Amino acid sequence: MKFSIVTSVYRNDKPEFVARSLESITSLQTKQPDEVVLVVDGPIPTSLSKVIKQWETEKPIFKIIWLPENKGLGNALRIGVETAKYDIVARMDSDDVSLPDRFEKQLTYMESHPDCDIISGQITEFIDQEDNIVGKREVPCSNDEIYRLMKQRCGLNHVAVMFRKSKILEVGNYIDWHYNEDYYLWIRLMETGCHFANLQDILVNVRVGKDMYARRGGWKYFQSEKGLQDYMYKRKMITLPQYIFNVTVRFGVQVVLPNKIRGFIFQKLFRK
């Protein structure tokens, strides 16, 4: 099964992190990609541009798309998916590290489960050094369990997904939605009866900053999350009690709580 990788960079990405990420999805993989679509989301520093051009020169599988303006991750991923040559597409963030057998495991699963439309897996999170693991985000593995969790919170680890491009395009591809373009996409896939799966294996080691939990709070972030709950309720994907519970919890955690307490709750309830 041939496959593409879609990733994007923008002006705040550090060149050394991008280089490490690209290395982890190409030369260090037991099953290497047939194409890497890298979307440059707006103007970037010369130091980052040099890294990208070097990879483009050394790796013929690279296809670079230079966007004149920064339009956000959702837009960059939409363009990347549309450009991808192969129907099997893997997602990757520009500063994370994929484990060497990530793609081999995902492709093996999809080959043996032709009904599977999208597959992710478990992730770890680190600060500064890759062995400084500060958390693990676990998600359920079966389709039914993922569907149930999706009615409360995102049931896939976006940074580790691999999917069928044709299925993604059926529901309109990625659409910009503040910090939640992935969850919004999965919800729309649920409406079509999409088959989800998660591997039990850790697939990606995610680089997180100390301000990660701050970014998951504030009025704008809450409005984004509430909008998704509105969407599900209006389409009868969740009940009114579930809607009230989901929105109330999000308001308390994302708007009322200060960053430090929010971080503590995330670590205790949503990470291991």
Side-chain angles (χ1 to χ4, degrees):
M1 295 177 71
K2 292 187 175 182
F3 72 103
S4 303
I5 296 175
V6 171
T7 186
S8 70
V9 300
Y10 80 123
R11 62 181 176 273
N12 289 345
D13 286 327
K14 294 186 177 181
E16 63 271 26
F17 294 168
V18 172
R20 175 67 178 115
S21 176
L22 296 179
E23 177 188 46
S24 78
I25 60 173
T26 53
S27 56
L28 297 183
Q29 283 292 317
T30 56
K31 170 60 178 174
Q32 296 185 20
D34 300 279
E35 177 188 56
V36 177
V37 179
L38 193 160
V39 182
V40 182
D41 191 13
I44 57 174
T46 302
S47 57
L48 181 54
S49 179
K50 286 181 178 180
V51 169
I52 293 170
K53 290 178 180 178
Q54 180 180 354
W55 277 88
E56 182 182 24
T57 300
E58 296 178 357
K59 297 280 187 179
I61 62 172
F62 271 72
K63 182 180 295 182
I64 314 299
I65 301 173
W66 302 85
L67 302 181
E69 297 180 48
N70 177 269
K71 295 292 187 178
L73 180 61
N75 180 67
L77 294 181
R78 175 183 59 80
I79 294 172
V81 170
E82 290 174 352
T83 305
K85 180 179 180 180
Y86 301 103
D87 189 52
I88 302 298
V89 176
R91 164 89 173 87
M92 183 62 183
D93 264 352
S94 58
D95 55 0
D96 298 335
V97 180
S98 281
L99 271 66
D101 56 359
R102 171 193 167 181
F103 301 136
E104 180 180 359
K105 287 180 176 178
Q106 290 181 299
L107 289 170
T108 298
Y109 185 92
M110 295 190 82
E111 286 178 333
S112 60
H113 298 80
D115 61 328
C116 179
D117 299 306
I118 178 168
I119 183 170
S120 183
Q122 317 308 316
I123 63 170
T124 50
E125 298 171 334
F126 71 96
I127 293 179
D128 297 330
Q129 302 300 319
E130 292 176 31
D131 59 354
N132 181 29
I133 305 297
V134 297
K136 178 182 179 183
R137 185 174 190 268
E138 293 187 338
V139 284
C141 294
S142 74
N143 184 63
D144 290 345
E145 290 177 309
I146 294 170
Y147 265 65
R148 282 195 292 270
L149 183 58
M150 284 285 192
K151 296 179 180 181
Q152 303 174 35
R153 58 190 178 91
C154 189
L156 300 173
N157 283 315
H158 186 207
V159 297
V161 296
M162 176 180 280
F163 50 70
R164 300 187 191 276
K165 172 182 173 177
S166 53
K167 194 70 177 180
I168 301 300
L169 295 182
E170 280 182 18
V171 298
N173 205 343
Y174 281 94
I175 297 174
D176 188 51
W177 193 291
H178 182 67
Y179 276 116
N180 277 296
E181 54 276 323
D182 57 325
Y183 196 4
Y184 184 35
L185 178 56
W186 313 152
I187 291 170
R188 286 180 283 128
L189 287 170
M190 285 175 61
E191 293 185 278
T192 69
C194 173
H195 189 95
F196 298 101
N198 282 313
L199 295 176
Q200 293 181 339
D201 308 78
I202 296 171
L203 301 181
V204 179
N205 198 11
V206 177
R207 191 184 303 274
V208 297
K210 296 177 181 178
D211 64 339
M212 176 180 68
Y213 302 116
R215 298 198 305 270
R216 296 188 178 182
W219 183 251
K220 189 174 181 181
Y221 190 87
F222 168 72
Q223 287 288 86
S224 171
E225 292 262 329
K226 180 180 179 299
L228 294 179
Q229 300 302 315
D230 292 343
Y231 182 96
M232 287 194 286
Y233 177 63
K234 289 177 181 177
R235 285 159 175 76
K236 303 186 184 303
M237 299 174 71
I238 57 175
T239 63
L240 180 59
Q242 180 77 71
Y243 170 81
I244 294 172
F245 175 80
N246 289 349
V247 171
T248 301
V249 169
R250 282 166 168 78
F251 181 80
V253 173
Q254 295 163 2
V255 178
V256 177
L257 293 181
N259 292 340
K260 287 185 178 181
I261 298 179
R262 183 186 307 119
F264 176 81
I265 290 177
F266 263 95
Q267 288 279 20
K268 293 300 181 182
L269 296 184
F270 305 126
R271 300 293 188 271
K272 290 193 175 182

